[in-house]
Amino acid sequence: KNEVEQSPQNLTAQEGEFITINCSYSVGISALHWLQQHPGGGIVSLFMLSSGKKKHGRLIATINIQEKHSSLHITASHPRDSAVYICAVRLDFGNEKLTFGTGTRLTIIP
Amino acid sequence: DAGVTQSPTHLIKTRGQQVTLRCSPKSGHDTVSWYQQALGQGPQFIFQYYEEEERQRGNFPDRFSGHQFPNYSSELNVNALLLGDSALYLCASSPGPGGYEQYFGPGTRLTVT
């Protein structure tokens, strides 16, 4: 079993829909990252969080440390949001390694 | 302000050859991490360099080695290439080794034939 699990693996939605992508992890962590990867490979860091909630534009990330679960929400989705969204965790302080989920492929249809 | 840059963008090598990939960190960053992303998979941590030393290493064989230069740029070297080394190699930089947010480069796509 992977230490980081994402769901769904693939998600197709209509433009304007509210999107939720989930991430669950099985070990204690010091921080969780949400990343966006477009075709061609480049990765953009969206959020790094260790508690609570962060918001940037139409993106919202939440984390529940007790339940070992995080969600990434996209409001008013747009075709340009189409990408692979990856959850990654840092296992503990002093451990620099990021452990990644396999990603959620999001497609927004106009 | 230039972000993380990597070179080359694409590379094709033959089994048994050696390859060197390069990474320049974001301005102000002194820590570089390398990841391997096989097709359809999430990235896997290779190692991290800080103060010109390998600070932490993932589960990769000794064929994978690296170096960090005084200007904080870094190289990833892979010897005796295998078909399974074909992947996207990502470099990420951060303003220190202690749990800072990492900024990723565009990656180098390596194909081993």
Side-chain angles (χ1 to χ4, degrees):
Chain A
K1 188 179 187 300
N2 292 334
E3 289 174 308
V4 183
E5 299 276 354
Q6 286 186 238
S7 63
Q9 287 187 309
N10 294 282
L11 178 57
T12 300
Q14 294 287 333
E15 182 175 356
E17 286 190 37
F18 181 81
I19 303 299
T20 296
I21 298 171
N22 296 298
C23 175
S24 297
Y25 50 92
S26 57
V27 295
I29 67 168
S30 60
L32 182 144
H33 299 249
W34 279 103
L35 309 163
Q36 180 191 57
Q37 186 170 34
H38 281 280
I43 288 181
V44 174
S45 179
L46 300 175
F47 297 101
M48 183 179 78
L49 64 167
S50 54
S51 65
K53 175 180 175 179
K54 286 191 175 181
K55 183 176 188 295
H56 184 255
R58 296 180 295 106
L59 302 178
I60 303 166
T62 64
I63 188 169
N64 185 318
I65 295 295
Q66 287 72 30
E67 294 185 4
K68 294 186 171 60
H69 180 269
S70 176
S71 293
L72 176 69
H73 305 287
I74 304 175
T75 61
S77 59
H78 190 275
R80 64 174 175 267
D81 297 326
S82 297
V84 175
Y85 291 84
I86 303 172
C87 168
V89 301
R90 177 174 286 107
L91 296 184
D92 53 52
F93 293 101
N95 185 340
E96 307 307 325
K97 170 186 170 182
L98 285 179
T99 301
F100 293 76
T102 53
T104 294
R105 183 173 299 277
L106 174 66
T107 304
I108 304 297
I109 299 171
Chain B
D1 174 28
V4 180
T5 60
Q6 291 185 244
S7 63
T9 306
H10 295 88
L11 199 53
I12 299 175
K13 289 285 191 179
T14 305
R15 272 182 303 177
Q17 286 189 316
Q18 179 264 343
V19 68
T20 297
L21 310 181
R22 295 176 177 83
C23 172
S24 291
K26 180 177 167 66
S27 178
H29 288 187
D30 59 7
T31 303
V32 174
S33 301
W34 286 93
Y35 297 87
Q36 180 196 65
Q37 186 177 25
L39 197 63
Q41 303 294 317
Q44 299 288 320
F45 176 78
I46 303 175
F47 42 53
Q48 183 186 72
Y49 275 84
Y50 172 67
E51 292 187 338
E52 301 180 48
E53 291 191 357
E54 183 182 290
R55 193 166 183 274
Q56 189 173 356
R57 188 178 183 93
N59 189 25
F60 279 80
D62 292 344
R63 298 187 298 109
F64 289 76
S65 64
H67 187 77
Q68 186 178 36
F69 298 93
N71 68 352
Y72 310 123
S73 66
S74 177
E75 288 182 349
L76 164 66
N77 302 292
V78 187
N79 295 322
L81 284 167
L82 304 174
L83 294 179
D85 296 331
S86 296
L88 179 70
Y89 288 84
L90 294 159
C91 165
S93 73
S94 55
Y100 293 95
E101 187 166 4
Q102 295 188 16
Y103 291 76
F104 286 81
T108 293
R109 186 163 297 282
L110 172 65
T111 302
V112 182
T113 63

Short mmCIF file of all heavy atoms in Angstrom, two decimals, chain A residues 31 33 35 37 40-48 86 90 94-103, chain B residues 35 37 40-45 48 55-56 58 88 90 97-106 109:
data_model
loop_
_atom_site.label_atom_id
_atom_site.label_comp_id
_atom_site.label_asym_id
_atom_site.label_seq_id
_atom_site.Cartn_x
_atom_site.Cartn_y
_atom_site.Cartn_z
N ALA A 31 4.55 18.13 6.89
CA ALA A 31 3.95 19.06 5.94
C ALA A 31 3.40 18.30 4.74
O ALA A 31 3.87 17.20 4.43
CB ALA A 31 4.97 20.10 5.47
N HIS A 33 2.19 18.93 0.59
CA HIS A 33 2.25 19.81 -0.57
C HIS A 33 1.19 19.40 -1.59
O HIS A 33 0.96 18.20 -1.79
CB HIS A 33 3.61 19.71 -1.26
CG HIS A 33 4.77 20.10 -0.41
ND1 HIS A 33 5.52 21.23 -0.65
CD2 HIS A 33 5.33 19.51 0.68
CE1 HIS A 33 6.49 21.30 0.26
NE2 HIS A 33 6.40 20.28 1.06
N LEU A 35 0.71 19.98 -5.65
CA LEU A 35 1.48 20.38 -6.82
C LEU A 35 0.63 20.20 -8.06
O LEU A 35 -0.27 19.36 -8.09
CB LEU A 35 2.74 19.52 -6.93
CG LEU A 35 3.60 19.41 -5.67
CD1 LEU A 35 4.55 18.23 -5.77
CD2 LEU A 35 4.38 20.69 -5.46
N GLN A 37 0.94 19.60 -12.26
CA GLN A 37 1.85 19.22 -13.34
C GLN A 37 1.09 19.22 -14.67
O GLN A 37 0.12 18.50 -14.85
CB GLN A 37 2.46 17.85 -13.10
CG GLN A 37 3.53 17.47 -14.11
CD GLN A 37 4.29 16.22 -13.71
OE1 GLN A 37 3.74 15.30 -13.11
NE2 GLN A 37 5.58 16.17 -14.04
N GLY A 40 3.99 17.79 -20.51
CA GLY A 40 5.33 18.31 -20.76
C GLY A 40 6.17 18.25 -19.51
O GLY A 40 7.40 18.27 -19.58
N GLY A 41 5.54 18.18 -18.35
CA GLY A 41 6.27 17.80 -17.15
C GLY A 41 6.46 18.81 -16.05
O GLY A 41 6.56 18.44 -14.91
N GLY A 42 6.53 20.10 -16.37
CA GLY A 42 6.87 21.06 -15.34
C GLY A 42 5.90 21.03 -14.17
O GLY A 42 4.69 20.91 -14.34
N ILE A 43 6.45 21.08 -12.96
CA ILE A 43 5.64 21.03 -11.75
C ILE A 43 5.62 22.40 -11.10
O ILE A 43 6.66 23.04 -10.94
CB ILE A 43 6.19 19.98 -10.77
CG1 ILE A 43 5.92 18.57 -11.29
CG2 ILE A 43 5.61 20.16 -9.38
CD1 ILE A 43 6.40 17.47 -10.40
N VAL A 44 4.42 22.82 -10.69
CA VAL A 44 4.24 24.08 -9.99
C VAL A 44 3.73 23.77 -8.58
O VAL A 44 2.80 22.99 -8.41
CB VAL A 44 3.23 24.99 -10.72
CG1 VAL A 44 2.95 26.24 -9.91
CG2 VAL A 44 3.77 25.35 -12.10
N SER A 45 4.36 24.36 -7.60
CA SER A 45 3.91 24.16 -6.23
C SER A 45 2.71 25.07 -5.97
O SER A 45 2.78 26.28 -6.18
CB SER A 45 5.04 24.51 -5.26
OG SER A 45 4.61 24.36 -3.93
N LEU A 46 1.60 24.48 -5.54
CA LEU A 46 0.39 25.26 -5.27
C LEU A 46 0.30 25.66 -3.80
O LEU A 46 0.03 26.81 -3.48
CB LEU A 46 -0.84 24.43 -5.65
CG LEU A 46 -0.96 24.00 -7.11
CD1 LEU A 46 -2.16 23.10 -7.30
CD2 LEU A 46 -1.04 25.22 -8.02
N PHE A 47 0.47 24.68 -2.94
CA PHE A 47 0.36 24.93 -1.50
C PHE A 47 1.33 24.04 -0.74
O PHE A 47 1.61 22.92 -1.16
CB PHE A 47 -1.05 24.59 -0.98
CG PHE A 47 -2.18 25.41 -1.53
CD1 PHE A 47 -3.00 24.89 -2.52
CD2 PHE A 47 -2.42 26.68 -1.05
CE1 PHE A 47 -4.04 25.64 -3.03
CE2 PHE A 47 -3.47 27.44 -1.55
CZ PHE A 47 -4.29 26.92 -2.55
N MET A 48 1.79 24.57 0.39
CA MET A 48 2.42 23.74 1.41
C MET A 48 1.69 24.04 2.71
O MET A 48 1.56 25.21 3.09
CB MET A 48 3.91 24.04 1.56
CG MET A 48 4.59 23.13 2.57
SD MET A 48 6.36 23.44 2.74
CE MET A 48 6.36 24.92 3.77
N ILE A 86 -0.93 16.65 -7.85
CA ILE A 86 -0.16 15.68 -7.07
C ILE A 86 -0.08 16.13 -5.62
O ILE A 86 0.21 17.30 -5.33
CB ILE A 86 1.27 15.52 -7.63
CG1 ILE A 86 1.22 15.11 -9.11
CG2 ILE A 86 2.05 14.49 -6.82
CD1 ILE A 86 2.59 15.10 -9.78
N ARG A 90 5.92 15.41 3.47
CA ARG A 90 7.22 15.31 4.12
C ARG A 90 6.98 14.59 5.43
O ARG A 90 6.15 15.03 6.24
CB ARG A 90 7.83 16.67 4.35
CG ARG A 90 9.18 16.60 5.09
CD ARG A 90 9.86 17.95 5.19
NE ARG A 90 10.43 18.37 3.93
CZ ARG A 90 9.93 19.33 3.17
NH1 ARG A 90 8.86 20.00 3.55
NH2 ARG A 90 10.51 19.64 2.04
N GLY A 94 13.22 17.31 9.58
CA GLY A 94 14.58 16.84 9.35
C GLY A 94 14.68 15.82 8.25
O GLY A 94 15.77 15.54 7.77
N ASN A 95 13.55 15.27 7.82
CA ASN A 95 13.53 14.34 6.70
C ASN A 95 13.14 15.13 5.47
O ASN A 95 12.00 15.57 5.34
CB ASN A 95 12.53 13.22 6.97
CG ASN A 95 12.57 12.16 5.88
OD1 ASN A 95 13.05 12.40 4.79
ND2 ASN A 95 12.05 10.98 6.19
N GLU A 96 14.09 15.35 4.59
CA GLU A 96 13.86 16.23 3.46
C GLU A 96 13.08 15.58 2.33
O GLU A 96 12.55 16.25 1.47
CB GLU A 96 15.20 16.72 2.91
CG GLU A 96 16.10 17.34 3.95
CD GLU A 96 15.39 18.44 4.70
OE1 GLU A 96 14.57 19.15 4.11
OE2 GLU A 96 15.65 18.58 5.92
N LYS A 97 13.00 14.25 2.37
CA LYS A 97 12.39 13.53 1.27
C LYS A 97 10.90 13.83 1.18
O LYS A 97 10.18 13.80 2.18
CB LYS A 97 12.61 12.04 1.50
CG LYS A 97 11.86 11.11 0.60
CD LYS A 97 12.08 9.67 1.06
CE LYS A 97 11.16 8.72 0.34
NZ LYS A 97 11.33 7.34 0.81
N LEU A 98 10.41 14.14 -0.02
CA LEU A 98 8.99 14.23 -0.28
C LEU A 98 8.52 12.89 -0.84
O LEU A 98 9.15 12.34 -1.73
CB LEU A 98 8.69 15.34 -1.30
CG LEU A 98 8.75 16.79 -0.82
CD1 LEU A 98 8.45 17.73 -1.97
CD2 LEU A 98 7.79 17.03 0.33
N THR A 99 7.41 12.39 -0.29
CA THR A 99 6.79 11.17 -0.81
C THR A 99 5.53 11.57 -1.55
O THR A 99 4.66 12.23 -0.98
CB THR A 99 6.47 10.20 0.33
OG1 THR A 99 7.69 9.88 1.02
CG2 THR A 99 5.85 8.93 -0.21
N PHE A 100 5.43 11.15 -2.81
CA PHE A 100 4.38 11.64 -3.69
C PHE A 100 3.28 10.61 -3.88
O PHE A 100 3.53 9.39 -3.91
CB PHE A 100 4.97 11.95 -5.07
CG PHE A 100 5.92 13.11 -5.09
CD1 PHE A 100 7.21 12.97 -4.62
CD2 PHE A 100 5.53 14.34 -5.61
CE1 PHE A 100 8.10 14.04 -4.65
CE2 PHE A 100 6.41 15.41 -5.65
CZ PHE A 100 7.69 15.26 -5.17
N GLY A 101 2.06 11.11 -4.07
CA GLY A 101 0.99 10.29 -4.60
C GLY A 101 1.17 10.16 -6.11
O GLY A 101 2.04 10.80 -6.70
N THR A 102 0.33 9.34 -6.72
CA THR A 102 0.47 9.11 -8.16
C THR A 102 -0.29 10.14 -8.98
O THR A 102 -0.21 10.14 -10.20
CB THR A 102 -0.01 7.71 -8.55
OG1 THR A 102 -1.34 7.52 -8.06
CG2 THR A 102 0.90 6.64 -7.98
N GLY A 103 -1.01 11.03 -8.33
CA GLY A 103 -1.64 12.12 -9.04
C GLY A 103 -3.08 11.88 -9.42
O GLY A 103 -3.54 10.75 -9.54
N TYR B 35 14.56 14.37 -8.31
CA TYR B 35 13.49 13.36 -8.31
C TYR B 35 13.46 12.68 -9.68
O TYR B 35 13.74 13.30 -10.70
CB TYR B 35 12.14 14.01 -8.05
CG TYR B 35 12.01 14.68 -6.71
CD1 TYR B 35 12.40 16.00 -6.52
CD2 TYR B 35 11.50 13.98 -5.62
CE1 TYR B 35 12.29 16.60 -5.28
CE2 TYR B 35 11.38 14.58 -4.38
CZ TYR B 35 11.78 15.89 -4.22
OH TYR B 35 11.66 16.49 -2.99
N GLN B 37 10.75 10.70 -12.18
CA GLN B 37 9.33 10.43 -12.39
C GLN B 37 9.16 9.54 -13.61
O GLN B 37 9.32 9.99 -14.76
CB GLN B 37 8.54 11.73 -12.57
CG GLN B 37 7.04 11.49 -12.67
CD GLN B 37 6.25 12.77 -12.78
OE1 GLN B 37 6.75 13.80 -13.23
NE2 GLN B 37 4.99 12.74 -12.36
N GLY B 40 3.57 7.93 -15.84
CA GLY B 40 2.36 7.51 -15.13
C GLY B 40 2.52 7.36 -13.63
O GLY B 40 1.58 6.94 -12.95
N GLN B 41 3.69 7.69 -13.12
CA GLN B 41 3.95 7.54 -11.69
C GLN B 41 4.22 8.90 -11.05
O GLN B 41 4.50 9.88 -11.75
CB GLN B 41 5.18 6.64 -11.47
CG GLN B 41 5.06 5.26 -12.08
CD GLN B 41 3.98 4.45 -11.42
OE1 GLN B 41 3.85 4.45 -10.18
NE2 GLN B 41 3.19 3.76 -12.21
N GLY B 42 4.15 8.93 -9.72
CA GLY B 42 4.56 10.13 -9.01
C GLY B 42 6.07 10.18 -8.92
O GLY B 42 6.75 9.16 -9.05
N PRO B 43 6.65 11.35 -8.72
CA PRO B 43 8.10 11.46 -8.58
C PRO B 43 8.63 10.66 -7.39
O PRO B 43 7.94 10.50 -6.39
CB PRO B 43 8.32 12.96 -8.38
CG PRO B 43 7.10 13.62 -8.95
CD PRO B 43 5.98 12.67 -8.67
N GLN B 44 9.86 10.18 -7.53
CA GLN B 44 10.55 9.46 -6.46
C GLN B 44 11.81 10.25 -6.10
O GLN B 44 12.57 10.66 -6.98
CB GLN B 44 10.95 8.05 -6.92
CG GLN B 44 9.78 7.16 -7.31
CD GLN B 44 8.98 6.71 -6.11
OE1 GLN B 44 9.55 6.38 -5.07
NE2 GLN B 44 7.67 6.70 -6.25
N PHE B 45 12.02 10.44 -4.80
CA PHE B 45 13.17 11.21 -4.31
C PHE B 45 14.45 10.45 -4.58
O PHE B 45 14.60 9.30 -4.18
CB PHE B 45 12.98 11.46 -2.82
CG PHE B 45 14.10 12.16 -2.13
CD1 PHE B 45 14.26 13.53 -2.25
CD2 PHE B 45 14.99 11.46 -1.34
CE1 PHE B 45 15.29 14.19 -1.59
CE2 PHE B 45 16.00 12.10 -0.67
CZ PHE B 45 16.16 13.48 -0.79
N GLN B 48 19.26 14.86 -2.04
CA GLN B 48 19.25 16.30 -1.82
C GLN B 48 20.67 16.78 -1.51
O GLN B 48 21.42 16.11 -0.79
CB GLN B 48 18.35 16.68 -0.65
CG GLN B 48 18.24 18.18 -0.44
CD GLN B 48 17.46 18.56 0.80
OE1 GLN B 48 17.92 18.38 1.92
NE2 GLN B 48 16.26 19.06 0.58
N ARG B 55 22.86 15.40 1.40
CA ARG B 55 22.30 15.48 2.75
C ARG B 55 21.38 14.30 3.05
O ARG B 55 21.28 13.85 4.18
CB ARG B 55 21.53 16.79 2.90
CG ARG B 55 21.18 17.14 4.32
CD ARG B 55 20.72 18.58 4.45
NE ARG B 55 20.45 18.93 5.83
CZ ARG B 55 19.32 18.71 6.45
NH1 ARG B 55 18.32 18.15 5.83
NH2 ARG B 55 19.16 19.05 7.73
N GLN B 56 20.69 13.85 2.04
CA GLN B 56 19.79 12.72 2.23
C GLN B 56 19.65 12.01 0.89
O GLN B 56 19.74 12.66 -0.16
CB GLN B 56 18.43 13.18 2.73
CG GLN B 56 17.52 12.03 3.14
CD GLN B 56 16.24 12.51 3.78
OE1 GLN B 56 16.04 13.70 3.99
NE2 GLN B 56 15.36 11.58 4.10
N GLY B 58 17.47 8.86 -1.37
CA GLY B 58 16.37 7.91 -1.49
C GLY B 58 16.88 6.54 -1.86
O GLY B 58 18.09 6.26 -1.82
N LEU B 88 11.33 11.21 -16.47
CA LEU B 88 11.49 12.66 -16.35
C LEU B 88 12.26 12.91 -15.06
O LEU B 88 11.87 12.43 -13.99
CB LEU B 88 10.13 13.33 -16.29
CG LEU B 88 10.11 14.85 -16.15
CD1 LEU B 88 10.61 15.52 -17.43
CD2 LEU B 88 8.72 15.34 -15.82
N LEU B 90 13.41 15.55 -12.37
CA LEU B 90 13.01 16.85 -11.87
C LEU B 90 13.99 17.32 -10.81
O LEU B 90 14.42 16.56 -9.95
CB LEU B 90 11.61 16.77 -11.27
CG LEU B 90 10.49 16.47 -12.25
CD1 LEU B 90 9.28 15.91 -11.52
CD2 LEU B 90 10.10 17.73 -13.01
N PRO B 97 17.57 23.57 3.81
CA PRO B 97 17.22 22.16 3.87
C PRO B 97 16.11 21.83 4.85
O PRO B 97 15.64 20.72 4.88
CB PRO B 97 18.53 21.51 4.33
CG PRO B 97 19.16 22.56 5.20
CD PRO B 97 18.78 23.88 4.58
N GLY B 98 15.69 22.78 5.61
CA GLY B 98 14.81 22.45 6.74
C GLY B 98 13.33 22.57 6.50
O GLY B 98 12.65 23.33 7.17
N GLY B 99 12.80 21.84 5.54
CA GLY B 99 11.36 21.75 5.40
C GLY B 99 10.72 22.93 4.70
O GLY B 99 9.53 23.19 4.85
N TYR B 100 11.49 23.66 3.94
CA TYR B 100 10.94 24.78 3.18
C TYR B 100 10.17 24.27 1.95
O TYR B 100 10.37 23.14 1.50
CB TYR B 100 12.05 25.72 2.72
CG TYR B 100 12.73 26.45 3.85
CD1 TYR B 100 13.91 25.96 4.40
CD2 TYR B 100 12.21 27.63 4.36
CE1 TYR B 100 14.54 26.62 5.44
CE2 TYR B 100 12.85 28.30 5.39
CZ TYR B 100 14.01 27.78 5.93
OH TYR B 100 14.63 28.44 6.95
N GLU B 101 9.34 25.14 1.41
CA GLU B 101 8.64 24.81 0.18
C GLU B 101 9.64 24.64 -0.95
O GLU B 101 10.60 25.40 -1.06
CB GLU B 101 7.65 25.91 -0.18
CG GLU B 101 6.74 25.59 -1.35
CD GLU B 101 5.58 26.56 -1.45
OE1 GLU B 101 5.54 27.52 -0.65
OE2 GLU B 101 4.73 26.35 -2.32
N GLN B 102 9.43 23.64 -1.79
CA GLN B 102 10.34 23.36 -2.89
C GLN B 102 9.76 23.90 -4.20
O GLN B 102 8.57 23.78 -4.46
CB GLN B 102 10.59 21.86 -3.01
CG GLN B 102 11.31 21.30 -1.79
CD GLN B 102 11.73 19.86 -1.95
OE1 GLN B 102 11.75 19.33 -3.05
NE2 GLN B 102 12.09 19.22 -0.85
N TYR B 103 10.62 24.47 -4.99
CA TYR B 103 10.24 25.01 -6.30
C TYR B 103 10.85 24.11 -7.37
O TYR B 103 12.06 23.88 -7.36
CB TYR B 103 10.74 26.45 -6.45
CG TYR B 103 10.03 27.42 -5.55
CD1 TYR B 103 10.32 27.49 -4.19
CD2 TYR B 103 9.07 28.28 -6.06
CE1 TYR B 103 9.66 28.37 -3.36
CE2 TYR B 103 8.40 29.18 -5.24
CZ TYR B 103 8.70 29.21 -3.89
OH TYR B 103 8.05 30.09 -3.08
N PHE B 104 10.01 23.64 -8.28
CA PHE B 104 10.45 22.64 -9.25
C PHE B 104 10.84 23.27 -10.59
O PHE B 104 10.26 24.27 -11.02
CB PHE B 104 9.34 21.62 -9.50
CG PHE B 104 9.16 20.66 -8.37
CD1 PHE B 104 8.42 21.01 -7.25
CD2 PHE B 104 9.74 19.40 -8.42
CE1 PHE B 104 8.26 20.13 -6.20
CE2 PHE B 104 9.57 18.51 -7.37
CZ PHE B 104 8.83 18.87 -6.26
N GLY B 105 11.81 22.64 -11.24
CA GLY B 105 12.17 23.01 -12.60
C GLY B 105 11.30 22.27 -13.59
O GLY B 105 10.47 21.45 -13.22
N PRO B 106 11.51 22.55 -14.88
CA PRO B 106 10.68 21.95 -15.93
C PRO B 106 11.00 20.48 -16.20
O PRO B 106 10.23 19.78 -16.84
CB PRO B 106 10.98 22.80 -17.16
CG PRO B 106 12.35 23.32 -16.90
CD PRO B 106 12.46 23.52 -15.42
N ARG B 109 13.74 15.17 -19.78
CA ARG B 109 13.18 13.86 -20.15
C ARG B 109 14.29 13.02 -20.76
O ARG B 109 14.84 13.37 -21.82
CB ARG B 109 12.02 14.01 -21.13
CG ARG B 109 11.34 12.67 -21.40
CD ARG B 109 9.97 12.82 -22.03
NE ARG B 109 9.02 13.51 -21.19
CZ ARG B 109 8.38 12.96 -20.15
NH1 ARG B 109 8.61 11.71 -19.82
NH2 ARG B 109 7.51 13.67 -19.46
#
